Amino acid sequence: MAELRLVESGVILGLETSCDETAAAVIAGGKVLSSVIRSQVEVHAPYGGVVPELAARAHDAAVGEVVLQAMEVAGVAPSGVEAVAVTSGPGLPSALAVGVSSALGLAVGLQVPLIGVDHMEGHLFAGTLAGPIELPALVLLVSGGHSELIAVDRPGAYRRIAATRDDAAGEAFDKVARLLGLGFPGGPAIERAAAAGNRELVSFPRAVVKEGLDLSFSGLKTAVRRYVEANPAAAVADIAACFQEAAVDTLADRVARAIEAGCYSTLVVGGGVGANLRLRERLAGIASRYGLLAAIPPPALCTDNGAMIAAAGAWRLSEGAPAGYLLDVDPGRSLVR
Ligand code: KG4
Ligand code: ZN
């Protein structure tokens, strides 16, 4: 039976700078030896969202220390690194460029392979950090920039089953959080507020895309805005809880329909929104209802990290080392070509 697993590689350093997390990790022998994440939340919080130019500058300032710390925690000297994996896209162009040029410098200096990793493939490989993923798998990728369902038929063979027609799931959480004055980043803020709210108070609309499995969040976002305008005294906790319930329902419904329409052994979740406990609970329930294995990484591995990039890089390297050091930043990189 085909499966995806964390390759028992030599020492691989993974770097991630595609958005607002400067992250580095070391994996070796099928284990994560270190994972260091420096968040830029405080840099962007005053602006209510990620400011690309500030993100790049903050990555630049942090990347050296983050890499050194990852090697120190792993107990690995630079001379022990056997390959460098880095996110080359998708992501913010100037933020990606910091990671790619840092990784290039390291790889050339150490004379080891440089592996450009697709950020979304990284999110998928986060699932392998907890154990092998039996294929075929259905993967729900939900982050700040992406919401899609991908079928993995064989290692590296991806089919897009569905995508969002408008906002990504994380973007919807971030925009609604801003609307409710909950600050940035919105996902965790909504989840915290929702914990004290009544999720049954108002039923916001679920996905409006009737045909196929595509997702849509703009109708939900508009409905929340209208409700807030019409009910200025409504409790933020209740609105957050009702929004979260509608967003999770939308995702859960699409996943269940995709499972019914396909043939899968495992349900995998990747991306920052996968850290949401309500979503995790619902997806675990769906996997068990349909008799699928569930590969739901711990919340800290759903949000951006270097270990997932090292893991995807180790697998790419096992498929054949890239020749040379030509690696372009590819902000629009897509898992499905
Ligand atoms: O994968 P990720 O860390 O970065 C991107 O690749 O975009 O995802 C970030 C997104 C943000 O929109 C953030 O608000 C959302 O994931 N997020 C959450 C939670 N934690 C992060 N959304 C809902 N609930 C959470 N607990
Ligand atoms: Zn991500």
Side-chain angles (χ1 to χ4, degrees), residues 119 123 143-145 170-171 173-174 185-188 191 271-273 275-276 302-304:
H119 182 78
H123 276 307
S143 68
E171 200 179 349
F173 272 86
D174 293 337
E191 181 164 22
V273 183
N276 186 280
C302 286
T303 46
D304 292 349

Side-chain angles (χ1 to χ4, degrees), residues 16 18-19 119-120 123 142-145 270-272 302-305 308:
E16 156 61 38
S18 68
C19 191
H119 182 78
M120 302 316 285
H123 276 307
V142 271
S143 68
C302 286
T303 46
D304 292 349
N305 64 85
M308 68 185 202

